[in-house]
Amino acid sequence: MYEHTLIGLDWGTSSLRATLFDSTGHIDQLRHRPWGIRQLPEGGFAAALTQITADWPMLPILACGMIGSRDGWHEVPYLNLPTTPAEVGWALARINTTDHRSLYLIPGLRDQHGPDVMRGEETQLTGTLALRPELATASTCILPGTHSKWVLVREGRITAFHTLMTGELFALLQRHSILATGAAISDDEAFMNGVLAARHSGAKGAFSQLFSIRTLMLEGTLAESSVSSYLSGLLIGEEFRIALEEGWTIDQYPVQLIGDATLCQHYHLAARGFGIELDAPLEHAASTGLWQIARCAGLIRSTP
Amino acid sequence: MYEHTLIGLDWGTSSLRATLFDSTGHIDQLRHRPWGIRQLPEGGFAAALTQITADWPMLPILACGMIGSRDGWHEVPYLNLPTTPAEVGWALARINTTDHRSLYLIPGLRDQHGPDVMRGEETQLTGTLALRPELATASTCILPGTHSKWVLVREGRITAFHTLMTGELFALLQRHSILATGAAISDDEAFMNGVLAARHSGAKGAFSQLFSIRTLMLEGTLAESSVSSYLSGLLIGEEFRIALEEGWTIDQYPVQLIGDATLCQHYHLAARGFGIELDAPLEHAASTGLWQIARCAGLIRSTP
């Protein structure tokens, strides 16, 4: 049994995940609570931290995500691009908790073109480059989600990224718009037709095709229960269309999906609609990223 | 005092507007009720009709809008493009009301490319071409709204149209997304910056720029109270960008705005951001359209 060396926190808007690492970087214990920065327990940040780490040893704590945002515990300035995982480790903010422990916060990244920002994904990216070092030379990383991130990696550096509100727009349209329907089924054919509609929309873009979903439904060409799949395909396809328009040469360099397996599966299928075959996605890259950043920052005591 | 000849109804999803015409086509009385087809009074369609026409003479009744849709009183098939206002008049559906009056329903239009559909706007277009006959040769008509319509007119015919869900997307994003803010002010400069962001988004499209609004807000470049104006400019600008990508040559033929004055004013400003100067908008084209279609259909008794 190895001794424990680090507590890692992935502290986002809607949830808090704590990881207890042993001295080799393996996860010894994992805890998950619905204490995102907007839904904290009584006692706020400090109480949430004390409760989720109860019974764990007194160790350095490293946190990524919205906990370092303006609405978080303490605002950490963004690091401007280009940057490397090591530079992220050198720019941690340190605060002392009420129970006399050191909490280190990872800065988010900022792409001055856009402008665009991320908080939390930089840690997933760091983990990804540690797990798949061959991506460091030249690759595109896709982190699907409420706010999907497309990230360009060149010569070990994160050189550009672009956030698309795909997940949020999908949820809004599916719940509140005239495209909202009753029971939905998962329909791969409808999904792919949505992807292809996005691809064929050309410079007009997929949003120019939104109302056609309503018409296809009225005419019976698209079953009401498949509207949700079609809409999902259209919006995810739009991400690939935009990436190609931006000249991200996703057909030339490796493209790595990072995140939830089900969501990544949708992106995998959408890529196929653009004639691109992607590798298997990476899940749980954040914990590896926390470990890597802690090492770069010198937070981990070396053991014999 | 001229005698009365026609009752016109503009019966949409959220409201019902009734017009009593004299024999010259002038409006003698107007009534407005919140009885859209989804919020009818007790007694349904028949009761709404009886109540809104109470004390008016027994005359032919002509109705446009969602009343002729699947969720309306009686479904009237769409007329396929290309079509003329006269052809719309020849394709009315007639139903007998419980109080033994004749109610004529105007068909919507369908553009098989798209596919796309409209119900109600065909009547506004008919009114527009009667009020401004010079538009019949070659023009583009824009009907802003929840579902904006861009309509191509060539040689007296409606030859193509395209629906964009601008108003609905704006409402969803402004109310329910991370771009939702507290008190909003009307900020013409922010609006125009949004229009220009759409124009400069090129083939990527304005939706690729949505998240940048969040970043501009975080960085203090865009005041929170101006986010709504910027978003409005971005989404309306996207309509012009798409129209230009579709090759609608809006810089070559007259472009006519039709609809609510305040909303048209926004489109007028957005057009300016694309270097296009539009003529004054047309309000209340629907009543003129109802009158014209009634004439084409032979519903109006000729008077000496």
Side-chain angles (χ1 to χ4, degrees):
Chain A
M1 173 86 191
Y2 297 98
E3 66 173 325
H4 296 123
T5 48
L6 177 74
I7 292 170
L9 302 178
D10 184 355
W11 204 334
T13 304
S14 54
S15 76
L16 167 60
R17 187 185 292 268
T19 309
L20 180 61
F21 291 95
D22 72 17
S23 61
T24 66
H26 286 121
I27 297 172
D28 190 52
Q29 284 187 56
L30 244 179
R31 288 176 184 166
H32 196 195
R33 299 284 182 277
W35 297 331
I37 64 163
R38 289 206 183 143
Q39 45 204 35
L40 293 165
E42 201 174 326
F45 294 113
L49 179 60
T50 303
Q51 290 175 49
I52 202 165
T53 59
D55 315 322
W56 285 1
M58 292 288 275
L59 293 168
I61 306 169
L62 178 63
C64 70
M66 295 303 282
I67 189 67
S69 71
R70 194 170 303 168
D71 301 327
W73 197 332
H74 175 85
E75 188 175 4
V76 189
Y78 292 104
L79 263 189
N80 278 322
L81 296 193
T83 190
T84 63
E87 283 170 355
V88 171
W90 302 335
L92 303 185
R94 176 182 169 163
I95 56 177
N96 291 313
T97 66
T98 43
D99 55 358
H100 308 293
R101 293 193 286 177
S102 290
L103 169 65
Y104 297 88
L105 300 177
I106 297 175
L109 303 186
R110 176 172 180 273
D111 186 344
Q112 44 275 62
H113 308 99
D116 209 327
V117 291
M118 63 166 67
R119 273 199 199 275
E121 291 90 351
E122 74 294 326
T123 304
Q124 289 177 272
L125 288 163
T126 299
T128 299
L129 294 178
L131 293 166
R132 305 221 170 143
E134 69 277 14
L135 295 172
T137 313
S139 62
T140 299
C141 293
I142 310 175
L143 301 97
T146 306
H147 301 147
S148 289
K149 308 275 179 190
W150 285 64
V151 184
L152 214 59
V153 178
R154 291 287 183 273
E155 295 167 8
R157 297 165 146 199
I158 297 164
T159 56
F161 63 87
H162 190 161
T163 304
L164 297 161
M165 287 173 54
T166 307
E168 182 158 8
L169 283 163
F170 175 71
L172 289 176
L173 287 165
Q174 197 196 22
R175 279 181 213 152
H176 302 296
S177 81
I178 53 147
L179 303 179
T181 57
I185 58 161
S186 176
D187 179 340
D188 281 354
E189 189 181 311
F191 178 87
M192 188 53 90
N193 283 330
V195 171
L196 295 174
R199 186 178 182 183
H200 298 143
S201 71
K204 288 179 286 178
F207 285 90
S208 74
Q209 306 302 308
L210 267 188
F211 191 77
S212 75
I213 299 179
R214 174 77 177 168
T215 311
L216 291 170
M217 209 167 90
L218 282 174
E219 298 188 348
T221 313
L222 182 64
E224 206 177 302
S225 56
S226 298
V227 163
S228 168
S229 290
Y230 186 98
L231 178 63
S232 171
L234 186 77
L235 297 188
I236 295 175
E238 176 70 353
E239 289 196 23
F240 284 85
R241 190 196 69 80
I242 290 170
L244 287 167
E245 288 289 355
E246 283 189 325
W248 282 41
T249 56
I250 51 180
D251 42 0
Q252 196 175 330
Y253 296 112
V255 178
Q256 181 62 57
L257 282 167
I258 304 162
D260 170 71
T262 309
L263 195 52
C264 283
Q265 182 53 32
H266 286 133
Y267 279 69
H268 198 92
L269 208 59
R272 216 171 264 170
F274 280 76
I276 301 160
E277 199 60 40
L278 299 186
D279 287 338
L282 268 180
E283 271 193 289
H284 312 303
S287 58
T288 306
L290 284 164
W291 175 259
Q292 289 295 324
I293 292 170
R295 274 173 43 135
C296 289
L299 297 186
I300 296 168
R301 290 169 293 163
S302 53
T303 46
Chain B
M1 171 80 191
Y2 296 97
E3 64 172 328
H4 296 122
T5 49
L6 177 74
I7 293 169
L9 303 178
D10 184 354
W11 204 334
T13 303
S14 54
S15 75
L16 167 59
R17 186 185 293 267
T19 309
L20 180 61
F21 291 95
D22 72 16
S23 61
T24 67
H26 286 120
I27 296 171
D28 190 54
Q29 285 186 54
L30 244 181
R31 289 176 183 166
H32 196 193
R33 299 285 181 276
W35 297 332
I37 64 164
R38 291 206 183 143
Q39 45 204 35
L40 294 165
E42 200 173 327
F45 294 113
L49 179 61
T50 303
Q51 289 174 49
I52 202 164
T53 60
D55 314 324
W56 284 1
M58 292 288 275
L59 292 168
I61 307 168
L62 178 63
C64 71
M66 294 303 281
I67 189 68
S69 72
R70 195 169 303 169
D71 300 327
W73 198 332
H74 175 84
E75 188 175 3
V76 189
Y78 292 104
L79 263 188
N80 278 321
L81 296 191
T83 191
T84 63
E87 283 170 354
V88 171
W90 302 334
L92 303 186
R94 175 181 171 166
I95 56 178
N96 290 313
T97 67
T98 42
D99 56 356
H100 308 293
R101 292 193 287 178
S102 290
L103 169 66
Y104 298 87
L105 301 177
I106 296 174
L109 304 186
R110 176 172 180 273
D111 186 344
Q112 45 275 63
H113 309 98
D116 210 327
V117 291
M118 63 166 65
R119 277 200 195 274
E121 290 90 351
E122 74 294 325
T123 303
Q124 289 177 273
L125 288 163
T126 300
T128 300
L129 294 178
L131 292 165
R132 303 218 171 145
E134 69 278 14
L135 296 171
T137 313
S139 62
T140 298
C141 293
I142 309 174
L143 300 98
T146 307
H147 300 147
S148 289
K149 309 275 179 188
W150 284 64
V151 184
L152 214 60
V153 178
R154 290 292 181 271
E155 294 167 8
R157 295 164 148 201
I158 297 165
T159 56
F161 63 87
H162 191 162
T163 304
L164 297 160
M165 286 174 54
T166 307
E168 183 159 5
L169 283 163
F170 175 72
L172 289 177
L173 287 166
Q174 197 197 22
R175 279 179 213 155
H176 302 295
S177 81
I178 52 148
L179 304 178
T181 57
I185 59 161
S186 176
D187 178 342
D188 280 354
E189 189 181 310
F191 179 88
M192 189 53 93
N193 283 331
V195 171
L196 295 174
R199 186 178 183 183
H200 298 144
S201 70
K204 287 180 286 179
F207 286 90
S208 74
Q209 307 301 308
L210 266 188
F211 191 77
S212 75
I213 299 179
R214 174 76 178 171
T215 311
L216 292 169
M217 210 166 90
L218 281 174
E219 299 189 348
T221 314
L222 182 64
E224 205 177 304
S225 56
S226 298
V227 163
S228 166
S229 289
Y230 186 97
L231 178 62
S232 171
L234 186 76
L235 297 188
I236 295 175
E238 175 70 354
E239 289 197 24
F240 284 85
R241 192 196 67 81
I242 291 171
L244 287 166
E245 288 288 355
E246 284 189 322
W248 282 41
T249 57
I250 52 181
D251 41 359
Q252 194 174 330
Y253 297 111
V255 177
Q256 181 63 56
L257 283 167
I258 304 161
D260 169 72
T262 309
L263 195 51
C264 284
Q265 182 54 34
H266 286 130
Y267 278 69
H268 198 93
L269 208 58
R272 217 171 262 170
F274 280 76
I276 301 161
E277 199 60 42
L278 299 187
D279 287 339
L282 267 181
E283 270 193 290
H284 312 304
S287 58
T288 308
L290 284 164
W291 175 258
Q292 288 297 323
I293 291 170
R295 273 174 42 135
C296 289
L299 297 186
I300 296 165
R301 289 168 295 162
S302 53
T303 45

